[in-house]
Each structure stands twice: as C-alpha cells, then as structure tokens.
Amino acid sequence: MIGINPLDCRRAVAYNNGVAMREALETLKMIQAHDQQVRELQRAIRSYQEHIAKLEEALKAEEERVEQLKSQLSELQQRSRERNAEVDDLDEQLRHYRQQLDHGLLSFKEMEALRHKVTHDQRRMGQLEDEALALMDEMGQEEARLQAEQAALSQLEVQTGQDIKTVESQIAAAEGQISQEQQERVAQVERVPALLLERYQRLARDYADPLVPVVAGSCGGCKLKLSETTLSRLREGLDLIACENCSRILINKGL
Ligand SMILES: [Zn+2]
C-alpha cells in the first residue's frame, strides 16, 4: 500500500466490492431463473399427471359401460330362458288337456271346464310366445350394442395406452430438465456468498421472484415507488439493496 493514495485505495476496494456484488447478483439471477424454470416444469408434470388420470378415468368408464351391458344382456338371456321354459310347460299342459279331451272319460261338465282351460291356456301361450319373441328382439339389439361398445373399448384401450406412453415420455423429459436445472443451480450456488443466498432463500418462501429489477423508479415486484436514497445507493452498486416495502432484492436493469 506504500505510495498509494488512500482515496484511490478506497475506490479500488469499492470497485472490487461493486464488481463482486454485481457478479453475485448476476449469479443469483441465474439461480432464480433455474428455480422459476423448475417450478414451471413441476406444474407441467402435475398437469401431465392429471391428464393421465383423466385418460384412465375415461377408459374405466368405458369398461364399466361394457360390464353393464354384459349384465343387462345376461339378465335378458335369463328372462328369455324362463319365458321359453314357461312356453314349454304350458305346451306340455295343453297336450295333456287335449289327450284328456280326446280319450278321457269325462262328464259333460268336466269337458266344458277343460275346454275352457284349454282356451284360456292357448291365449296365455300366445302372450308368452309374443313376450319370448320381444325378448329375442331386445337381446339382438343389446348384443349389437355390446359388440359396438366392445369394439369401442378395444380401440380406446389401444389409444389410451399410446396417449399415456406419450404423456409419460413428456413427464420423463420434464424430470430430466428439472435435474439438469438443479445440477446447474448447484454449481452456481457455490459462487454466491452464503448470507446472500440465505436471504434469497428466505424471500423465495414468499415470492416466486425474490430478485426484481427497478422499473421507472419503482420496485418491479410490489410496484412501490422507491426513495431517492435507495435509488442512488442502487446506482452506486456497492451494497445489497432491498425494496423498503416488500424486501425483495433490487437489481439494476443493466445487470
Ligand atoms: Zn417491493
């Protein structure tokens, strides 16, 4: 230091401090960019995951539709079997009555009663046969619907599988980007003084942008007009300057 003007010396120290401060803030700005990018990617991953959940839900709904149709069809088949069994029973019954009418040794009164029964059962038989036919029709329609839904389901299964694969690869890409951002961040963190980093981390709990530029004399974060003192200290660039209102770290736009 011998022979050096003390004032020059102070200036030199100030200059060094200013350079160091600017460098630290520049690095911190890159760290903030990484942090914002990571949050953005995490948001994207969440929305990809929601998309996958929706795709799976749609597939499940289609599977349930097919299952419902299957059980409706089997219920119809059951009713149809029952109706056909009733027709067979009644047919058997009628044959028996006719035999009695043809060969039975019956009184006139018994014959009349039996004929009455036959007429009644024949009418009932007609109704049952109509019902059995209607059920067959309904079953045919349900089978066609089931086939169409099953075809739609197989198509949806293939499509959903492909879509999920695509979204999963987008998630993997985003995760890769996040780990890259974090790796770069680790290297940069080492270049920032611990106290400054701590302050940034504290602010980062409340703000997505702990570091803000000054815009037309106001804080770029909370928009409050900054005092002349703050602005001139910021112009000097020797200290860390924070907004008087929100405490965000202020940076010169030229940084
Ligand atoms: Zn502010």
Side-chain angles (χ1 to χ4, degrees):
M1 292 288 175
I2 295 163
I4 295 174
N5 181 329
L7 187 65
D8 283 349
C9 187
R10 266 208 314 279
R11 276 183 187 147
V13 170
Y15 174 76
N16 280 333
N17 280 347
V19 168
M21 181 60 66
R22 264 199 297 279
E23 274 175 6
L25 284 178
E26 234 171 303
T27 309
L28 208 51
K29 214 173 138 191
M30 287 191 272
I31 291 173
Q32 173 167 284
H34 286 308
D35 288 348
Q36 287 171 341
Q37 187 62 21
V38 165
R39 270 196 298 275
E40 204 54 48
L41 288 162
Q42 283 167 336
R43 255 196 299 277
I45 289 176
R46 275 195 297 278
S47 87
Y48 288 144
Q49 284 165 338
E50 280 164 21
H51 186 46
I52 288 181
K54 272 186 193 145
L55 288 170
E56 283 170 342
E57 234 171 75
L59 183 62
K60 200 168 160 237
E62 185 60 36
E63 280 167 352
E64 278 168 3
R65 247 193 312 278
V66 166
E67 281 313 305
Q68 203 186 354
L69 281 175
K70 272 186 193 167
S71 81
Q72 276 171 10
L73 186 60
S74 90
E75 203 181 302
L76 277 175
Q77 284 164 337
Q78 177 64 23
R79 274 167 60 199
S80 171
R81 271 195 298 275
E82 284 166 7
R83 207 51 89 246
N84 286 331
E86 277 181 77
V87 170
D88 289 346
D89 286 351
L90 206 57
D91 193 39
E92 182 66 34
Q93 182 76 40
L94 276 166
R95 237 198 320 275
H96 178 66
Y97 288 160
R98 284 197 195 98
Q99 266 173 3
Q100 277 186 305
L101 283 173
D102 289 346
H103 310 292
L105 296 166
L106 301 169
S107 70
F108 179 75
K109 210 174 167 186
E110 285 170 331
M111 294 269 277
E112 274 304 295
L114 204 52
R115 278 201 194 94
H116 188 71
K117 267 190 193 165
V118 167
T119 314
H120 174 268
D121 282 0
Q122 272 173 336
R123 214 173 21 243
R124 174 83 187 119
M125 181 84 159
Q127 278 172 357
L128 285 174
E129 279 170 346
D130 285 350
E131 280 174 30
L133 281 175
L135 277 172
M136 294 283 283
D137 259 10
E138 214 180 321
M139 270 164 52
Q141 283 167 12
E142 286 291 304
E143 267 163 3
R145 260 181 75 193
L146 178 60
Q147 262 176 9
E149 288 289 344
Q150 274 173 328
L153 176 61
S154 328
Q155 220 174 355
L156 191 66
E157 274 168 347
V158 173
Q159 189 61 54
T160 303
Q162 285 170 353
D163 288 352
I164 287 178
K165 244 187 211 160
T166 306
V167 180
E168 276 173 347
S169 72
Q170 285 169 321
I171 290 177
E175 282 169 345
Q177 268 175 282
I178 286 179
S179 77
Q180 201 183 330
E181 295 281 347
Q182 282 166 340
Q183 267 171 31
E184 288 173 20
R185 190 188 193 277
V186 165
Q188 283 158 352
V189 158
E190 285 165 9
R191 288 163 38 206
V192 178
L195 277 173
L196 183 55
L197 188 69
E198 225 173 85
R199 186 150 172 185
Y200 168 83
Q201 302 281 36
R202 223 178 14 249
L203 286 165
R205 282 183 226 144
D206 297 323
Y207 306 119
D209 54 349
L211 243 70
V212 286
V214 174
V215 183
S218 297
C219 164
C222 70
K223 315 294 179 206
L224 192 92
K225 201 97 193 130
L226 297 160
S227 71
E228 256 320 306
T229 319
T230 301
L231 287 173
S232 73
R233 285 180 65 209
L234 191 67
R235 271 192 289 272
E236 275 174 23
L238 297 178
D239 290 315
L240 187 72
I241 312 296
C243 168
E244 303 111 356
N245 183 47
C246 68
S247 307
R248 282 183 177 92
I249 301 166
L250 298 170
I251 45 174
N252 254 330
K253 251 191 166 175
L255 249 167

